[in-house]
Amino acid sequence: MLIMKNPLTYLFLLVLLIGCKNEHQLTLVPKKFSGEACSGCPQVSIEVPRVAEKSKLAENINTCISKEITTILLFGETED
């Protein structure tokens, strides 16, 4: 095979593989949510991790985290 005997082909494939390496570094920052304080109400405060970058991946992660937190907080609530 002509391709296997040419060392430039191996060099090209190596450069191609190294160049396609795609690493994402995501920075998580805590976002604090607090309920309104009233005299007879318990004070509720939670910190939720949010991805700081502006990308489609970060948007998807933040959406999933928000949905999960909403599910956890609404667990056990009944609609009358």
Side-chain angles (χ1 to χ4, degrees):
M1 289 178 56
L2 183 61
I3 295 174
M4 295 300 192
K5 293 181 181 178
N6 190 351
L8 290 176
T9 303
Y10 291 115
L11 181 62
F12 175 73
L13 289 174
L14 181 63
V15 169
L16 183 66
L17 289 174
I18 291 172
C20 290
K21 194 173 183 181
N22 190 6
E23 292 184 19
H24 291 283
Q25 287 291 87
L26 298 177
T27 305
L28 295 175
V29 293
K31 184 171 183 181
K32 188 173 184 175
F33 296 96
S34 298
E36 293 183 22
C38 64
S39 60
C41 303
Q43 184 174 353
V44 177
S45 176
I46 61 170
E47 285 190 18
V48 178
R50 305 288 291 177
V51 179
E53 284 76 26
K54 302 291 183 195
S55 67
K56 189 69 173 170
L57 176 63
E59 183 180 319
N60 288 337
I61 291 171
N62 288 336
T63 300
C64 289
I65 290 173
S66 296
K67 286 181 181 180
E68 185 67 24
I69 295 297
T70 302
T71 302
I72 291 170
L73 292 176
L74 293 177
F75 180 75
E77 290 288 322
T78 57
E79 293 185 25
D80 293 327

